[in-house]
Amino acid sequence: MAKCHRNDVGSIVLDRPSTTAHSRLWSSFSAASFRRLIFDAVSCGASSRYRHRHETDAAAPPAPAPASPPAGSTLKQSEEPEKAKPKPKSEKLSDLLNLAAEWSEAESDAVTKKKVESLEELKRVAGELQVENDAVEKRREAASHVRLLAKEDSEARATLAMLGVIPPLVGMLDDSDDVDDQIASLYALLNLGIGNDVNKAAILQAGAVHKMLKLIESPNSSVSEAIIANFLGLSALDSNKPIIGSSGAIPFLLKILKNLDNTISSQAKQDALRALYNLSIFPSNVSYILETDMIPFFFNALGDMEMSERILAILSNMVSTPEGRKAISSVRDAFPVLVDALNWNDSPGCQEKASYILMVMAHKAFGDRQAMIEAGVGSALLELTLLGSTLAQKRASRILECLRVDKGKQISQNFGGSGAVSAPICGSSSSSTNPNLGSKECLEEDEDMMSDERKAVKQLVQQSLQSNMRRIVKRANLPQDFVPSDHFKSLISSSTSKSLPF
């Protein structure tokens, strides 16, 4: 019974006379402690009210001993006194509910107090940003404080914007020539726009982009990297894409990518590529991209695995417009570079994007299809249909279908172009005396023409199988001078095109 009294909920909280004391005491307990106390109270059958009465009775002076019964009484000396009846369970439950209500109220009060304190802090920071221009140091500290407050708190971003911190932060970009002030303002604006489209639009409307472009000639690379990060964040909003694209940001981002003195970090270059990808999604920005030498630069930069996939993603957006396709096809060695990207088995993303570019261009222009064939796209596509990802296989099959249709048209045109004169030739005077001989000659000519097609397909199959064999040998760590068996050679020589997408 002692354990029950020791773990009783009422023995801890409910016997305290003050509600304030309840809140202070309960705040030191965790939710797990609260559940344990409830379990102990219910399992022991204790009640705070019962325990309070028990303690009161214990503190009172002892009652006088009852007089001895008369001699003729029938009361037995050994009979025990009547036990006190326990309180009903409804009173225990009421005690627990009251305790829970007090705890919930205390927690709600603490949350409300915390929110009020946070709001007061945000108001103070917003007020410091709007002070007179002579308090430059105070504004810089306020901008740094905004950066920290808005970094991971979405509610703080919205509240700070409603308190009007965006215009003074944008104004700091050209009000001060101090690099620290500019960096503090740029990163504060960057954090305010994270995940908040309303703030992104407000930053652009405040004239931030044009003021940022005025700072691009800053010798400090930290300022340039902060501007790039802002362009990346702001360009994620569709309504901002045409404004940023027409502002002159695209040449600046390309200049960052071409940075030859390595003063820009690799992360900043990745951010610039991602910003260009966001801008290239909007069709009207394609013309601004084509005004630069970005397309030739991209094809020269393909091969750098840190940049290649994002470059191909931008080219995938460019190929959706006629101007973009024309610009890509006009680049020297564009198709050999794209065909080479199809063989990058360690980068499925590059294979998928390169196959998409080739698929769109093959579907739109006959001249591009011929350039692909000359670049040796056939064997690469056949290999991709066997070893590529599911998406790459589908795209490679579609390109092969386009090329097959062109080949069929070419063969039909060869037959159709000589159809008007082929009958007289087959039935000419030299063969008129023997019509069977004429028909035999025509069949031999047909077989000769069809054999060229079969030879081309057979050659592609052999090249693909040999390439696959070399890759298998390499993966199996076999000697480089490994010679396939005669059985494998017989498979190559006897292969047909029945299983191919043709």
Side-chain angles (χ1 to χ4, degrees):
M1 189 66 181
K3 181 180 179 180
C4 295
H5 285 299
R6 184 170 58 253
N7 294 332
D8 187 9
V9 180
S11 67
I12 294 179
V13 178
L14 293 179
D15 292 340
R16 303 297 190 274
S18 173
T19 304
T20 305
H22 292 176
S23 302
R24 289 196 300 269
L25 184 59
W26 177 249
S27 62
S28 63
F29 293 94
S30 64
S33 301
F34 179 60
R35 289 193 295 269
R36 185 170 60 253
L37 291 174
I38 291 176
F39 175 76
D40 292 342
V42 174
S43 62
C44 292
S47 171
S48 62
R49 297 178 183 175
Y50 174 71
R51 182 177 181 276
H52 182 69
R53 181 190 298 179
H54 178 76
E55 291 180 354
T56 305
D57 293 342
S68 59
S73 174
T74 59
L75 182 62
K76 297 180 179 180
Q77 296 295 332
S78 61
E79 184 178 355
E80 296 180 359
E82 183 180 0
K83 295 183 179 181
K85 296 182 179 180
K87 291 294 182 180
K89 292 184 177 181
S90 60
E91 292 188 5
K92 302 175 192 175
L93 181 60
S94 177
D95 292 342
L96 296 177
L97 292 177
N98 291 334
L99 177 61
E102 292 176 1
W103 172 63
S104 178
E105 182 180 357
E107 185 181 21
S108 177
D109 293 342
V111 172
T112 303
K113 183 179 179 181
K114 184 177 180 180
K115 288 185 177 180
V116 171
E117 292 175 353
S118 299
L119 180 60
E120 292 298 327
E121 182 181 11
L122 296 179
K123 288 181 178 179
R124 179 182 60 80
V125 173
E128 292 176 354
L129 277 174
Q130 298 170 359
V131 296
E132 298 297 330
N133 293 334
D134 53 352
V136 177
E137 186 69 25
K138 198 171 185 179
R139 294 178 65 187
R140 181 194 306 163
E141 294 178 358
S144 301
H145 204 175
V146 170
R147 174 186 177 181
L148 295 177
L149 292 173
K151 185 176 182 180
E152 297 179 354
D153 191 347
S154 58
E155 293 183 0
R157 296 173 198 140
T159 304
L160 286 169
M162 288 189 292
L163 292 174
V165 300
I166 291 179
L169 286 173
V170 174
M172 288 178 63
L173 296 178
D174 54 3
D175 288 346
S176 175
D177 295 333
D178 189 89
V179 175
D180 294 334
D181 292 348
Q182 295 170 355
I183 293 176
S185 174
L186 286 169
Y187 281 110
L189 292 171
L190 174 65
N191 289 348
L192 286 172
I194 296 175
N196 194 312
D197 292 344
V198 177
N199 288 358
K200 287 186 177 74
I203 292 171
L204 203 71
Q205 292 175 359
V209 173
H210 296 285
K211 293 187 177 183
M212 290 178 187
L213 290 174
K214 292 180 181 179
L215 302 177
I216 60 177
E217 300 299 334
S218 174
N220 194 308
S221 60
S222 299
V223 176
S224 299
E225 293 180 1
I227 294 174
I228 295 168
N230 273 274
F231 282 162
L232 172 59
L234 296 175
S235 62
L237 185 62
D238 288 341
S239 60
N240 288 351
K241 288 179 173 64
I243 301 175
I244 298 176
S246 61
S247 66
I250 292 176
F252 164 69
L253 295 172
L254 179 60
K255 181 181 178 182
I256 294 298
L257 294 177
K258 291 181 176 181
N259 182 259
L260 300 178
D261 52 0
N262 295 324
T263 57
I264 302 297
S265 65
S266 59
Q267 180 61 46
K269 291 184 178 181
Q270 292 292 331
D271 291 344
L273 274 174
R274 293 166 63 190
L276 286 172
Y277 172 78
N278 290 341
L279 295 176
S280 65
I281 294 174
F282 200 76
S284 66
N285 287 334
V286 174
S287 60
Y288 298 112
I289 294 176
L290 295 180
E291 291 177 358
T292 65
D293 60 342
M294 185 180 298
I295 302 298
F297 169 76
F298 278 169
F299 277 100
N300 291 329
L302 278 176
D304 183 358
M305 300 311 295
E306 293 184 357
M307 301 174 60
S308 293
E309 188 168 356
R310 297 195 186 280
I311 288 175
L312 290 171
I314 297 173
L315 294 176
S316 298
N317 291 334
M318 298 288 294
V319 81
S320 62
T321 63
E323 298 83 0
R325 291 192 296 271
K326 183 178 180 181
I328 292 174
S329 61
S330 63
V331 175
R332 183 181 180 183
D333 295 334
F335 291 108
V337 172
L338 292 173
V339 170
D340 182 61
L342 296 177
N343 298 320
W344 296 348
N345 296 322
D346 55 345
S347 180
C350 291
Q351 289 181 325
E352 293 172 357
K353 293 175 177 61
S355 60
Y356 175 79
I357 298 171
L358 292 172
M359 181 184 69
V360 174
M361 299 192 71
H363 178 71
K364 295 293 184 180
F366 173 78
D368 293 339
R369 292 194 290 271
Q370 296 301 312
M372 294 177 197
I373 294 174
E374 294 175 359
V377 73
S379 59
L381 292 174
L382 287 172
E383 183 176 343
L384 196 60
T385 56
L386 298 174
L387 303 177
S389 64
T390 303
L391 183 57
Q393 288 177 358
K394 291 180 179 179
R395 290 172 176 174
S397 298
R398 291 185 180 181
I399 300 172
L400 288 171
E401 181 66 20
C402 291
L403 300 180
R404 184 192 67 82
V405 171
D406 277 351
K407 193 67 176 178
K409 289 181 179 179
Q410 183 179 2
I411 294 174
S412 63
Q413 288 175 359
N414 291 336
F415 281 109
S418 59
V421 296
S422 61
I425 292 176
C426 290
S428 60
S429 58
S430 61
S431 61
S432 59
T433 58
N434 192 351
N436 294 329
L437 180 61
S439 60
K440 184 177 180 180
E441 291 177 355
C442 290
L443 290 174
E444 289 178 353
E445 291 178 2
D446 293 344
E447 291 179 356
D448 291 339
M449 297 184 67
M450 292 301 295
S451 64
D452 294 336
E453 175 71 13
R454 290 171 182 166
K455 288 178 181 178
V457 174
K458 183 177 180 180
Q459 183 180 2
L460 291 177
V461 172
Q462 290 177 350
Q463 291 176 357
S464 179
L465 291 175
Q466 291 172 359
S467 177
N468 293 339
M469 189 60 189
R470 286 193 297 269
R471 186 175 293 103
I472 292 171
V473 170
K474 184 177 180 180
R475 291 179 180 176
N477 295 323
L478 295 175
Q480 294 297 325
D481 57 350
F482 174 76
V483 180
S485 63
D486 295 335
H487 176 65
F488 181 78
K489 292 180 179 180
S490 65
L491 290 176
I492 295 177
S493 61
S494 61
S495 298
T496 65
S497 62
K498 292 181 180 179
S499 63
L500 300 176
F502 276 7

